[in-house]
Amino acid sequence: MGKTSLKRTPTKTRHEQARLAVVDALKPFEADGMSVEELVATLAILIGQFSIFFDGQEWTPEQVVELVKINIAEGNRNAVANTFGGHPAGNA
């Protein structure tokens, strides 16, 4: 188990399109007063549900969590950079 190694993969246009589609899908819920905490918790549940699709022969649960942690940190760096006029780099 756990044959897959985590490697950096540059964000592609398709990744950014998927990210923006999720952001757009959440906007009505935010407008209706759903808190940031509720939105993050909902996304975390969704990520947990998606994790079932990882191949257990290739990925350990720890590797899946590490992938999520890496991309949360990257998303945070992008948000901070964008707030101060930077450009997103990202990894998918």
Side-chain angles (χ1 to χ4, degrees):
M1 255 171 56
K3 298 176 190 172
T4 298
S5 62
L6 297 178
K7 61 183 182 209
R8 295 182 67 82
T9 303
T11 301
K12 295 180 175 69
T13 300
R14 193 73 178 136
H15 300 140
E16 183 63 8
Q17 290 170 338
R19 187 191 70 78
L20 291 173
V22 171
V23 168
D24 285 343
L26 293 175
K27 285 180 181 177
F29 298 96
E30 182 183 24
D32 285 343
M34 189 177 270
S35 70
V36 172
E37 293 84 1
E38 291 172 304
L39 290 169
V40 169
T42 301
L43 289 170
I45 290 168
L46 183 63
I47 290 167
Q49 291 169 335
F50 267 87
S51 70
I52 190 109
F53 297 111
F54 279 89
D55 181 344
Q57 298 297 312
E58 298 291 327
W59 291 82
T60 66
E62 294 79 15
Q63 286 174 308
V64 174
V65 169
E66 186 63 21
L67 176 68
V68 172
K69 285 172 50 178
I70 288 167
N71 282 281
I72 287 172
E74 190 68 33
N76 184 268
R77 278 190 294 277
N78 288 343
V80 169
N82 288 336
T83 300
F84 297 104
H87 302 284
N91 289 292

